[in-house]
Amino acid sequence: MKKIMLCLFAVSAISGFAQAPPAMTPIQDAFWESLIGKWEGWSESSMGKSADEVEFEWELQKQFLKTKVEAKSGEMTYKMVGYSTIDATGKITGHWFDSWRLVYASTETRNGNKVTMRIEGGPGPVERTYEKVGEDKLVGTFKVTMNGQTFEGRSELTRKVKAAKK
């Protein structure tokens, strides 16, 4: 029975692809393109300081910008991955998943090389602003609200590799 169901699913999927709309054109975004690569740096707030690694790369035929984050502080390592896209109206949205099994949704606005992300979900909202300074530096601030407490901090990243892994 499982084999019959699998065959029916495969036939249905193949016939669905034959009728699918043409592929979307890849995202053309100079700012995101300028981020592609591996970055290293730090974040600090009243909660302490972390060593951060961030990797930006294109995913799913250049329909999403994938951002992988790893922050280490003492014995703790926190990881997060996000997929952001730009819709036909220019709105930037994303979905994020972390090593605490929390899921977040984000919106992003820009003013030149300055970006503001609003992230909802998990233990509370996050607002992160960062600015690309020159070719290889990102500086920013963040505000995190958890359990009724607000923490503010700053961060800085420097590019280490100009292109993401292939």
Side-chain angles (χ1 to χ4, degrees):
M1 184 66 172
K2 285 183 181 180
K3 287 183 181 181
I4 292 172
M5 293 301 291
L6 184 57
C7 288
L8 287 174
F9 174 76
V11 169
S12 171
I14 291 169
S15 66
F17 289 138
Q19 299 171 14
M24 298 287 293
T25 58
I27 291 176
Q28 300 296 316
D29 186 83
F31 183 76
W32 278 358
E33 194 66 49
S34 77
L35 297 176
I36 301 298
K38 292 184 180 183
W39 301 69
E40 293 179 0
W42 51 267
S43 295
E44 67 180 355
S45 72
S46 59
M47 294 173 57
K49 190 168 186 173
S50 64
D52 303 339
E53 293 181 7
V54 178
E55 183 177 1
F56 299 98
E57 63 184 322
W58 291 110
E59 280 286 339
L60 297 172
Q61 299 173 317
K62 209 172 175 186
Q63 301 303 313
F64 293 88
L65 178 71
K66 178 182 175 184
T67 306
K68 288 173 46 180
V69 178
E70 182 174 291
K72 294 180 182 179
S73 180
E75 298 294 316
M76 186 190 82
T77 298
Y78 174 80
K79 293 183 179 185
M80 180 178 237
V81 63
Y83 294 87
S84 301
T85 193
I86 304 172
D87 71 14
T89 69
K91 183 178 179 183
I92 302 171
T93 58
H95 287 87
W96 299 79
F97 311 89
D98 73 11
S99 55
W100 295 340
R101 281 186 272 147
L102 299 174
V103 178
Y104 310 83
S106 68
T107 58
E108 182 178 309
T109 56
R110 295 191 202 153
N111 185 1
N113 280 343
K114 191 171 186 177
V115 175
T116 300
M117 290 182 69
R118 287 178 179 72
I119 304 169
E120 300 288 333
V126 176
E127 182 171 298
R128 178 174 283 279
T129 300
Y130 60 93
E131 183 172 6
K132 189 162 183 248
V133 179
E135 189 65 26
D136 297 322
K137 186 170 279 202
L138 289 169
V139 296
T141 60
F142 56 91
K143 183 176 6 177
V144 179
T145 303
M146 291 187 337
N147 303 322
Q149 290 187 303
T150 299
F151 304 94
E152 295 186 41
R154 61 191 185 101
S155 62
E156 186 172 299
L157 295 169
T158 303
R159 185 193 316 267
K160 296 301 176 188
V161 178
K162 279 207 180 220
K165 65 184 176 195
K166 301 238 182 209

mmCIF file with all atom_site columns, all heavy atoms in Angstrom, residues 105-128:
data_model
loop_
_atom_site.group_PDB
_atom_site.id
_atom_site.type_symbol
_atom_site.label_atom_id
_atom_site.label_alt_id
_atom_site.label_comp_id
_atom_site.label_asym_id
_atom_site.label_entity_id
_atom_site.label_seq_id
_atom_site.pdbx_PDB_ins_code
_atom_site.Cartn_x
_atom_site.Cartn_y
_atom_site.Cartn_z
_atom_site.occupancy
_atom_site.B_iso_or_equiv
_atom_site.pdbx_formal_charge
_atom_site.auth_seq_id
_atom_site.auth_comp_id
_atom_site.auth_asym_id
_atom_site.auth_atom_id
_atom_site.pdbx_PDB_model_num
ATOM 1   N N   . ALA A 1 105 ? 9.606  35.433 12.882 1.00 0.00 ? 105 ALA A N   1
ATOM 2   C CA  . ALA A 1 105 ? 9.307  36.063 11.596 1.00 0.00 ? 105 ALA A CA  1
ATOM 3   C C   . ALA A 1 105 ? 9.914  37.466 11.640 1.00 0.00 ? 105 ALA A C   1
ATOM 4   O O   . ALA A 1 105 ? 9.919  38.112 12.694 1.00 0.00 ? 105 ALA A O   1
ATOM 5   C CB  . ALA A 1 105 ? 7.807  36.142 11.360 1.00 0.00 ? 105 ALA A CB  1
ATOM 6   N N   . SER A 1 106 ? 10.415 37.929 10.495 1.00 0.00 ? 106 SER A N   1
ATOM 7   C CA  . SER A 1 106 ? 11.055 39.243 10.485 1.00 0.00 ? 106 SER A CA  1
ATOM 8   C C   . SER A 1 106 ? 10.567 40.094 9.320  1.00 0.00 ? 106 SER A C   1
ATOM 9   O O   . SER A 1 106 ? 10.090 39.577 8.310  1.00 0.00 ? 106 SER A O   1
ATOM 10  C CB  . SER A 1 106 ? 12.581 39.099 10.396 1.00 0.00 ? 106 SER A CB  1
ATOM 11  O OG  . SER A 1 106 ? 12.953 38.585 9.130  1.00 0.00 ? 106 SER A OG  1
ATOM 12  N N   . THR A 1 107 ? 10.701 41.390 9.508  1.00 0.00 ? 107 THR A N   1
ATOM 13  C CA  . THR A 1 107 ? 10.535 42.361 8.427  1.00 0.00 ? 107 THR A CA  1
ATOM 14  C C   . THR A 1 107 ? 11.789 43.218 8.437  1.00 0.00 ? 107 THR A C   1
ATOM 15  O O   . THR A 1 107 ? 12.451 43.376 9.479  1.00 0.00 ? 107 THR A O   1
ATOM 16  C CB  . THR A 1 107 ? 9.290  43.246 8.615  1.00 0.00 ? 107 THR A CB  1
ATOM 17  O OG1 . THR A 1 107 ? 9.380  43.921 9.867  1.00 0.00 ? 107 THR A OG1 1
ATOM 18  C CG2 . THR A 1 107 ? 8.014  42.428 8.543  1.00 0.00 ? 107 THR A CG2 1
ATOM 19  N N   . GLU A 1 108 ? 12.116 43.762 7.281  1.00 0.00 ? 108 GLU A N   1
ATOM 20  C CA  . GLU A 1 108 ? 13.353 44.533 7.149  1.00 0.00 ? 108 GLU A CA  1
ATOM 21  C C   . GLU A 1 108 ? 13.066 45.800 6.359  1.00 0.00 ? 108 GLU A C   1
ATOM 22  O O   . GLU A 1 108 ? 12.358 45.759 5.357  1.00 0.00 ? 108 GLU A O   1
ATOM 23  C CB  . GLU A 1 108 ? 14.379 43.669 6.406  1.00 0.00 ? 108 GLU A CB  1
ATOM 24  C CG  . GLU A 1 108 ? 15.724 44.286 6.232  1.00 0.00 ? 108 GLU A CG  1
ATOM 25  C CD  . GLU A 1 108 ? 16.700 43.341 5.533  1.00 0.00 ? 108 GLU A CD  1
ATOM 26  O OE1 . GLU A 1 108 ? 16.828 42.179 5.966  1.00 0.00 ? 108 GLU A OE1 1
ATOM 27  O OE2 . GLU A 1 108 ? 17.325 43.782 4.550  1.00 0.00 ? 108 GLU A OE2 1
ATOM 28  N N   . THR A 1 109 ? 13.587 46.914 6.842  1.00 0.00 ? 109 THR A N   1
ATOM 29  C CA  . THR A 1 109 ? 13.510 48.167 6.096  1.00 0.00 ? 109 THR A CA  1
ATOM 30  C C   . THR A 1 109 ? 14.925 48.700 5.928  1.00 0.00 ? 109 THR A C   1
ATOM 31  O O   . THR A 1 109 ? 15.810 48.399 6.732  1.00 0.00 ? 109 THR A O   1
ATOM 32  C CB  . THR A 1 109 ? 12.640 49.214 6.817  1.00 0.00 ? 109 THR A CB  1
ATOM 33  O OG1 . THR A 1 109 ? 13.144 49.415 8.143  1.00 0.00 ? 109 THR A OG1 1
ATOM 34  C CG2 . THR A 1 109 ? 11.187 48.771 6.884  1.00 0.00 ? 109 THR A CG2 1
ATOM 35  N N   . ARG A 1 110 ? 15.107 49.488 4.876  1.00 0.00 ? 110 ARG A N   1
ATOM 36  C CA  . ARG A 1 110 ? 16.441 50.016 4.576  1.00 0.00 ? 110 ARG A CA  1
ATOM 37  C C   . ARG A 1 110 ? 16.401 51.507 4.314  1.00 0.00 ? 110 ARG A C   1
ATOM 38  O O   . ARG A 1 110 ? 15.426 52.029 3.815  1.00 0.00 ? 110 ARG A O   1
ATOM 39  C CB  . ARG A 1 110 ? 17.010 49.356 3.327  1.00 0.00 ? 110 ARG A CB  1
ATOM 40  C CG  . ARG A 1 110 ? 17.262 47.924 3.456  1.00 0.00 ? 110 ARG A CG  1
ATOM 41  C CD  . ARG A 1 110 ? 18.067 47.468 2.267  1.00 0.00 ? 110 ARG A CD  1
ATOM 42  N NE  . ARG A 1 110 ? 17.903 46.056 2.081  1.00 0.00 ? 110 ARG A NE  1
ATOM 43  C CZ  . ARG A 1 110 ? 18.019 45.451 0.940  1.00 0.00 ? 110 ARG A CZ  1
ATOM 44  N NH1 . ARG A 1 110 ? 18.291 46.135 -0.140 1.00 0.00 ? 110 ARG A NH1 1
ATOM 45  N NH2 . ARG A 1 110 ? 17.867 44.157 0.847  1.00 0.00 ? 110 ARG A NH2 1
ATOM 46  N N   . ASN A 1 111 ? 17.541 52.109 4.601  1.00 0.00 ? 111 ASN A N   1
ATOM 47  C CA  . ASN A 1 111 ? 17.793 53.494 4.239  1.00 0.00 ? 111 ASN A CA  1
ATOM 48  C C   . ASN A 1 111 ? 19.261 53.541 3.825  1.00 0.00 ? 111 ASN A C   1
ATOM 49  O O   . ASN A 1 111 ? 20.147 53.627 4.682  1.00 0.00 ? 111 ASN A O   1
ATOM 50  C CB  . ASN A 1 111 ? 17.506 54.423 5.413  1.00 0.00 ? 111 ASN A CB  1
ATOM 51  C CG  . ASN A 1 111 ? 17.640 55.873 5.037  1.00 0.00 ? 111 ASN A CG  1
ATOM 52  O OD1 . ASN A 1 111 ? 17.933 56.206 3.889  1.00 0.00 ? 111 ASN A OD1 1
ATOM 53  N ND2 . ASN A 1 111 ? 17.437 56.748 6.013  1.00 0.00 ? 111 ASN A ND2 1
ATOM 54  N N   . GLY A 1 112 ? 19.521 53.410 2.524  1.00 0.00 ? 112 GLY A N   1
ATOM 55  C CA  . GLY A 1 112 ? 20.905 53.331 2.038  1.00 0.00 ? 112 GLY A CA  1
ATOM 56  C C   . GLY A 1 112 ? 21.552 52.047 2.515  1.00 0.00 ? 112 GLY A C   1
ATOM 57  O O   . GLY A 1 112 ? 21.015 50.964 2.322  1.00 0.00 ? 112 GLY A O   1
ATOM 58  N N   . ASN A 1 113 ? 22.706 52.164 3.181  1.00 0.00 ? 113 ASN A N   1
ATOM 59  C CA  . ASN A 1 113 ? 23.415 50.989 3.717  1.00 0.00 ? 113 ASN A CA  1
ATOM 60  C C   . ASN A 1 113 ? 23.016 50.675 5.152  1.00 0.00 ? 113 ASN A C   1
ATOM 61  O O   . ASN A 1 113 ? 23.667 49.886 5.821  1.00 0.00 ? 113 ASN A O   1
ATOM 62  C CB  . ASN A 1 113 ? 24.924 51.204 3.649  1.00 0.00 ? 113 ASN A CB  1
ATOM 63  C CG  . ASN A 1 113 ? 25.469 50.945 2.262  1.00 0.00 ? 113 ASN A CG  1
ATOM 64  O OD1 . ASN A 1 113 ? 24.814 50.311 1.431  1.00 0.00 ? 113 ASN A OD1 1
ATOM 65  N ND2 . ASN A 1 113 ? 26.658 51.422 2.003  1.00 0.00 ? 113 ASN A ND2 1
ATOM 66  N N   . LYS A 1 114 ? 21.955 51.316 5.658  1.00 0.00 ? 114 LYS A N   1
ATOM 67  C CA  . LYS A 1 114 ? 21.484 51.071 7.016  1.00 0.00 ? 114 LYS A CA  1
ATOM 68  C C   . LYS A 1 114 ? 20.211 50.234 6.962  1.00 0.00 ? 114 LYS A C   1
ATOM 69  O O   . LYS A 1 114 ? 19.283 50.544 6.229  1.00 0.00 ? 114 LYS A O   1
ATOM 70  C CB  . LYS A 1 114 ? 21.213 52.392 7.725  1.00 0.00 ? 114 LYS A CB  1
ATOM 71  C CG  . LYS A 1 114 ? 20.979 52.242 9.199  1.00 0.00 ? 114 LYS A CG  1
ATOM 72  C CD  . LYS A 1 114 ? 20.936 53.599 9.866  1.00 0.00 ? 114 LYS A CD  1
ATOM 73  C CE  . LYS A 1 114 ? 20.847 53.436 11.366 1.00 0.00 ? 114 LYS A CE  1
ATOM 74  N NZ  . LYS A 1 114 ? 20.876 54.731 12.045 1.00 0.00 ? 114 LYS A NZ  1
ATOM 75  N N   . VAL A 1 115 ? 20.184 49.160 7.743  1.00 0.00 ? 115 VAL A N   1
ATOM 76  C CA  . VAL A 1 115 ? 19.088 48.195 7.744  1.00 0.00 ? 115 VAL A CA  1
ATOM 77  C C   . VAL A 1 115 ? 18.512 48.091 9.154  1.00 0.00 ? 115 VAL A C   1
ATOM 78  O O   . VAL A 1 115 ? 19.261 48.037 10.128 1.00 0.00 ? 115 VAL A O   1
ATOM 79  C CB  . VAL A 1 115 ? 19.593 46.809 7.285  1.00 0.00 ? 115 VAL A CB  1
ATOM 80  C CG1 . VAL A 1 115 ? 18.504 45.766 7.403  1.00 0.00 ? 115 VAL A CG1 1
ATOM 81  C CG2 . VAL A 1 115 ? 20.151 46.875 5.885  1.00 0.00 ? 115 VAL A CG2 1
ATOM 82  N N   . THR A 1 116 ? 17.186 48.047 9.235  1.00 0.00 ? 116 THR A N   1
ATOM 83  C CA  . THR A 1 116 ? 16.523 47.790 10.510 1.00 0.00 ? 116 THR A CA  1
ATOM 84  C C   . THR A 1 116 ? 15.674 46.537 10.353 1.00 0.00 ? 116 THR A C   1
ATOM 85  O O   . THR A 1 116 ? 14.839 46.462 9.461  1.00 0.00 ? 116 THR A O   1
ATOM 86  C CB  . THR A 1 116 ? 15.626 48.975 10.928 1.00 0.00 ? 116 THR A CB  1
ATOM 87  O OG1 . THR A 1 116 ? 16.449 50.136 11.054 1.00 0.00 ? 116 THR A OG1 1
ATOM 88  C CG2 . THR A 1 116 ? 14.935 48.690 12.257 1.00 0.00 ? 116 THR A CG2 1
ATOM 89  N N   . MET A 1 117 ? 15.939 45.555 11.204 1.00 0.00 ? 117 MET A N   1
ATOM 90  C CA  . MET A 1 117 ? 15.170 44.310 11.221 1.00 0.00 ? 117 MET A CA  1
ATOM 91  C C   . MET A 1 117 ? 14.316 44.278 12.482 1.00 0.00 ? 117 MET A C   1
ATOM 92  O O   . MET A 1 117 ? 14.813 44.574 13.567 1.00 0.00 ? 117 MET A O   1
ATOM 93  C CB  . MET A 1 117 ? 16.090 43.095 11.227 1.00 0.00 ? 117 MET A CB  1
ATOM 94  C CG  . MET A 1 117 ? 16.827 42.852 9.958  1.00 0.00 ? 117 MET A CG  1
ATOM 95  S SD  . MET A 1 117 ? 17.845 41.356 10.071 1.00 0.00 ? 117 MET A SD  1
ATOM 96  C CE  . MET A 1 117 ? 16.586 40.108 10.134 1.00 0.00 ? 117 MET A CE  1
ATOM 97  N N   . ARG A 1 118 ? 13.072 43.898 12.299 1.00 0.00 ? 118 ARG A N   1
ATOM 98  C CA  . ARG A 1 118 ? 12.182 43.661 13.428 1.00 0.00 ? 118 ARG A CA  1
ATOM 99  C C   . ARG A 1 118 ? 11.849 42.178 13.408 1.00 0.00 ? 118 ARG A C   1
ATOM 100 O O   . ARG A 1 118 ? 11.332 41.672 12.419 1.00 0.00 ? 118 ARG A O   1
ATOM 101 C CB  . ARG A 1 118 ? 10.936 44.523 13.306 1.00 0.00 ? 118 ARG A CB  1
ATOM 102 C CG  . ARG A 1 118 ? 11.230 45.971 13.595 1.00 0.00 ? 118 ARG A CG  1
ATOM 103 C CD  . ARG A 1 118 ? 10.018 46.869 13.424 1.00 0.00 ? 118 ARG A CD  1
ATOM 104 N NE  . ARG A 1 118 ? 10.330 48.249 13.737 1.00 0.00 ? 118 ARG A NE  1
ATOM 105 C CZ  . ARG A 1 118 ? 11.075 49.056 12.974 1.00 0.00 ? 118 ARG A CZ  1
ATOM 106 N NH1 . ARG A 1 118 ? 11.598 48.611 11.866 1.00 0.00 ? 118 ARG A NH1 1
ATOM 107 N NH2 . ARG A 1 118 ? 11.301 50.299 13.329 1.00 0.00 ? 118 ARG A NH2 1
ATOM 108 N N   . ILE A 1 119 ? 12.166 41.517 14.518 1.00 0.00 ? 119 ILE A N   1
ATOM 109 C CA  . ILE A 1 119 ? 12.003 40.069 14.606 1.00 0.00 ? 119 ILE A CA  1
ATOM 110 C C   . ILE A 1 119 ? 11.003 39.761 15.715 1.00 0.00 ? 119 ILE A C   1
ATOM 111 O O   . ILE A 1 119 ? 11.175 40.217 16.847 1.00 0.00 ? 119 ILE A O   1
ATOM 112 C CB  . ILE A 1 119 ? 13.360 39.380 14.875 1.00 0.00 ? 119 ILE A CB  1
ATOM 113 C CG1 . ILE A 1 119 ? 14.368 39.767 13.792 1.00 0.00 ? 119 ILE A CG1 1
ATOM 114 C CG2 . ILE A 1 119 ? 13.194 37.872 14.965 1.00 0.00 ? 119 ILE A CG2 1
ATOM 115 C CD1 . ILE A 1 119 ? 15.799 39.362 14.088 1.00 0.00 ? 119 ILE A CD1 1
ATOM 116 N N   . GLU A 1 120 ? 9.964  39.010 15.375 1.00 0.00 ? 120 GLU A N   1
ATOM 117 C CA  . GLU A 1 120 ? 8.912  38.649 16.336 1.00 0.00 ? 120 GLU A CA  1
ATOM 118 C C   . GLU A 1 120 ? 8.916  37.142 16.538 1.00 0.00 ? 120 GLU A C   1
ATOM 119 O O   . GLU A 1 120 ? 9.164  36.388 15.614 1.00 0.00 ? 120 GLU A O   1
ATOM 120 C CB  . GLU A 1 120 ? 7.541  39.080 15.808 1.00 0.00 ? 120 GLU A CB  1
ATOM 121 C CG  . GLU A 1 120 ? 7.397  40.567 15.569 1.00 0.00 ? 120 GLU A CG  1
ATOM 122 C CD  . GLU A 1 120 ? 7.325  41.384 16.843 1.00 0.00 ? 120 GLU A CD  1
ATOM 123 O OE1 . GLU A 1 120 ? 6.890  40.843 17.883 1.00 0.00 ? 120 GLU A OE1 1
ATOM 124 O OE2 . GLU A 1 120 ? 7.712  42.565 16.811 1.00 0.00 ? 120 GLU A OE2 1
ATOM 125 N N   . GLY A 1 121 ? 8.589  36.730 17.747 1.00 0.00 ? 121 GLY A N   1
ATOM 126 C CA  . GLY A 1 121 ? 8.520  35.311 18.063 1.00 0.00 ? 121 GLY A CA  1
ATOM 127 C C   . GLY A 1 121 ? 9.462  34.988 19.200 1.00 0.00 ? 121 GLY A C   1
ATOM 128 O O   . GLY A 1 121 ? 10.128 35.863 19.747 1.00 0.00 ? 121 GLY A O   1
ATOM 129 N N   . GLY A 1 122 ? 9.511  33.721 19.564 1.00 0.00 ? 122 GLY A N   1
ATOM 130 C CA  . GLY A 1 122 ? 10.399 33.320 20.657 1.00 0.00 ? 122 GLY A CA  1
ATOM 131 C C   . GLY A 1 122 ? 10.009 34.003 21.955 1.00 0.00 ? 122 GLY A C   1
ATOM 132 O O   . GLY A 1 122 ? 8.845  34.273 22.202 1.00 0.00 ? 122 GLY A O   1
ATOM 133 N N   . PRO A 1 123 ? 10.999 34.338 22.774 1.00 0.00 ? 123 PRO A N   1
ATOM 134 C CA  . PRO A 1 123 ? 10.700 34.915 24.084 1.00 0.00 ? 123 PRO A CA  1
ATOM 135 C C   . PRO A 1 123 ? 10.315 36.388 24.041 1.00 0.00 ? 123 PRO A C   1
ATOM 136 O O   . PRO A 1 123 ? 9.880  36.949 25.029 1.00 0.00 ? 123 PRO A O   1
ATOM 137 C CB  . PRO A 1 123 ? 12.004 34.730 24.859 1.00 0.00 ? 123 PRO A CB  1
ATOM 138 C CG  . PRO A 1 123 ? 13.055 34.694 23.798 1.00 0.00 ? 123 PRO A CG  1
ATOM 139 C CD  . PRO A 1 123 ? 12.410 34.055 22.598 1.00 0.00 ? 123 PRO A CD  1
ATOM 140 N N   . GLY A 1 124 ? 10.467 37.055 22.898 1.00 0.00 ? 124 GLY A N   1
ATOM 141 C CA  . GLY A 1 124 ? 10.089 38.461 22.805 1.00 0.00 ? 124 GLY A CA  1
ATOM 142 C C   . GLY A 1 124 ? 10.653 39.105 21.557 1.00 0.00 ? 124 GLY A C   1
ATOM 143 O O   . GLY A 1 124 ? 11.466 38.511 20.855 1.00 0.00 ? 124 GLY A O   1
ATOM 144 N N   . PRO A 1 125 ? 10.227 40.331 21.285 1.00 0.00 ? 125 PRO A N   1
ATOM 145 C CA  . PRO A 1 125 ? 10.665 40.997 20.061 1.00 0.00 ? 125 PRO A CA  1
ATOM 146 C C   . PRO A 1 125 ? 12.131 41.438 20.111 1.00 0.00 ? 125 PRO A C   1
ATOM 147 O O   . PRO A 1 125 ? 12.675 41.714 21.176 1.00 0.00 ? 125 PRO A O   1
ATOM 148 C CB  . PRO A 1 125 ? 9.733  42.209 19.971 1.00 0.00 ? 125 PRO A CB  1
ATOM 149 C CG  . PRO A 1 125 ? 9.306  42.478 21.379 1.00 0.00 ? 125 PRO A CG  1
ATOM 150 C CD  . PRO A 1 125 ? 9.287  41.139 22.058 1.00 0.00 ? 125 PRO A CD  1
ATOM 151 N N   . VAL A 1 126 ? 12.715 41.510 18.925 1.00 0.00 ? 126 VAL A N   1
ATOM 152 C CA  . VAL A 1 126 ? 14.100 41.971 18.756 1.00 0.00 ? 126 VAL A CA  1
ATOM 153 C C   . VAL A 1 126 ? 14.090 43.044 17.683 1.00 0.00 ? 126 VAL A C   1
ATOM 154 O O   . VAL A 1 126 ? 13.425 42.891 16.658 1.00 0.00 ? 126 VAL A O   1
ATOM 155 C CB  . VAL A 1 126 ? 15.030 40.816 18.316 1.00 0.00 ? 126 VAL A CB  1
ATOM 156 C CG1 . VAL A 1 126 ? 16.445 41.326 18.047 1.00 0.00 ? 126 VAL A CG1 1
ATOM 157 C CG2 . VAL A 1 126 ? 15.039 39.697 19.334 1.00 0.00 ? 126 VAL A CG2 1
ATOM 158 N N   . GLU A 1 127 ? 14.809 44.121 17.923 1.00 0.00 ? 127 GLU A N   1
ATOM 159 C CA  . GLU A 1 127 ? 15.037 45.108 16.877 1.00 0.00 ? 127 GLU A CA  1
ATOM 160 C C   . GLU A 1 127 ? 16.543 45.223 16.706 1.00 0.00 ? 127 GLU A C   1
ATOM 161 O O   . GLU A 1 127 ? 17.270 45.471 17.668 1.00 0.00 ? 127 GLU A O   1
ATOM 162 C CB  . GLU A 1 127 ? 14.452 46.467 17.230 1.00 0.00 ? 127 GLU A CB  1
ATOM 163 C CG  . GLU A 1 127 ? 14.676 47.464 16.088 1.00 0.00 ? 127 GLU A CG  1
ATOM 164 C CD  . GLU A 1 127 ? 13.927 48.765 16.273 1.00 0.00 ? 127 GLU A CD  1
ATOM 165 O OE1 . GLU A 1 127 ? 12.684 48.726 16.326 1.00 0.00 ? 127 GLU A OE1 1
ATOM 166 O OE2 . GLU A 1 127 ? 14.600 49.795 16.368 1.00 0.00 ? 127 GLU A OE2 1
ATOM 167 N N   . ARG A 1 128 ? 16.998 44.987 15.475 1.00 0.00 ? 128 ARG A N   1
ATOM 168 C CA  . ARG A 1 128 ? 18.425 45.018 15.180 1.00 0.00 ? 128 ARG A CA  1
ATOM 169 C C   . ARG A 1 128 ? 18.644 45.988 14.031 1.00 0.00 ? 128 ARG A C   1
ATOM 170 O O   . ARG A 1 128 ? 18.002 45.887 12.995 1.00 0.00 ? 128 ARG A O   1
ATOM 171 C CB  . ARG A 1 128 ? 18.919 43.620 14.800 1.00 0.00 ? 128 ARG A CB  1
ATOM 172 C CG  . ARG A 1 128 ? 20.380 43.570 14.427 1.00 0.00 ? 128 ARG A CG  1
ATOM 173 C CD  . ARG A 1 128 ? 20.849 42.150 14.206 1.00 0.00 ? 128 ARG A CD  1
ATOM 174 N NE  . ARG A 1 128 ? 21.064 41.435 15.447 1.00 0.00 ? 128 ARG A NE  1
ATOM 175 C CZ  . ARG A 1 128 ? 22.160 41.538 16.202 1.00 0.00 ? 128 ARG A CZ  1
ATOM 176 N NH1 . ARG A 1 128 ? 23.117 42.334 15.865 1.00 0.00 ? 128 ARG A NH1 1
ATOM 177 N NH2 . ARG A 1 128 ? 22.272 40.826 17.298 1.00 0.00 ? 128 ARG A NH2 1
#
